[in-house]
Amino acid sequence: MSVFYFVAFLSIFFALMTIFTKNPVHSVLYLVITFFTFTVHYILLNAQFLAVVNFIVYMGAIMVLFLFVLMLLNLNKDTEPLKSNLVKLMGVIAGACLLLTVGGSLRVLEISQPIVMKNPDIGLVGNLGKVLFSDFLLPFEISSILLLTAMVGAVLLAKNEPKKA
């Protein structure tokens, strides 16, 4: 249980570092570390499939895209517009609402006994595949057709048509 609390502390720490770091590249790197701590949480919760998907998709693909976008934007202090006091006030109000919500949810949350799963194999990939291909076969196939249609549409939209002379 102490590993869970240590990783939870690291998650919160690196999430705050993501927010408060001035350099956007460092902020993205802290976000990668935060996602890694989420992967450790998934492993501790016996959800290996979610851990692998989080590791590959979020840490691998999306964070690389964030880094490329930040490098292509070429942000510097001269081109960044000054934020008005209204935007700062709205940010403070939104942060206060978030803290109020988190405080209220923590006040309601009472855990007197440790949580024990009835089925410890619930997060394994094999069990997920059995449920996916038995109970949810039709929605799975419909979503695959929808994704295939979107991919074909994206290819057709990106295709350059030859100009007629």
Side-chain angles (χ1 to χ4, degrees):
M1 201 58 144
S2 63
V3 174
F4 177 82
Y5 289 121
F6 178 69
V7 175
F9 170 76
L10 288 178
S11 296
I12 293 169
F13 175 74
F14 287 122
L16 289 174
M17 290 299 292
T18 300
I19 296 169
F20 294 123
T21 302
K22 299 282 185 193
N23 189 345
V25 176
H26 291 162
S27 180
V28 170
L29 292 175
Y30 283 128
L31 190 59
V32 168
I33 297 171
T34 305
F35 281 147
F36 180 74
T37 59
F38 291 166
T39 302
V40 173
H41 276 292
Y42 288 141
I43 291 171
L44 290 174
L45 293 171
N46 200 24
Q48 290 87 3
F49 179 73
L50 286 177
V52 170
V53 167
N54 185 45
F55 189 80
I56 292 172
V57 173
Y58 286 105
M59 289 177 60
I62 293 178
M63 287 299 107
V64 169
L65 287 175
F66 279 4
L67 281 174
F68 280 142
V69 167
L70 285 176
M71 285 188 264
L72 289 174
L73 284 178
N74 193 14
L75 295 175
N76 52 19
K77 294 179 183 177
D78 298 334
T79 60
E80 184 177 330
L82 297 174
K83 294 185 172 65
S84 68
N85 289 333
L86 180 64
V87 172
K88 291 178 184 177
L89 179 67
M90 290 185 334
V92 168
I93 291 172
C97 290
L98 176 67
L99 286 176
L100 186 69
T101 304
V102 169
S105 64
L106 288 177
R107 189 176 60 108
V108 172
L109 182 67
E110 292 181 24
I111 299 177
S112 58
Q113 299 175 0
I115 299 172
V116 178
M117 294 175 56
K118 292 180 182 176
N119 185 4
D121 295 333
I122 200 163
L124 299 178
V125 179
N127 294 335
L128 179 68
K130 287 177 188 174
V131 171
L132 187 65
F133 289 118
S134 62
D135 298 339
F136 297 100
L137 182 62
L138 182 63
F140 179 74
E141 291 298 327
I142 290 173
S143 65
S144 67
I145 291 172
L146 180 68
L147 288 172
L148 178 66
T149 307
M151 193 167 44
V152 169
V155 168
L156 288 176
L157 286 174
K159 183 179 166 185
N160 289 334
E161 295 197 22
K163 294 181 180 180
K164 296 180 181 178

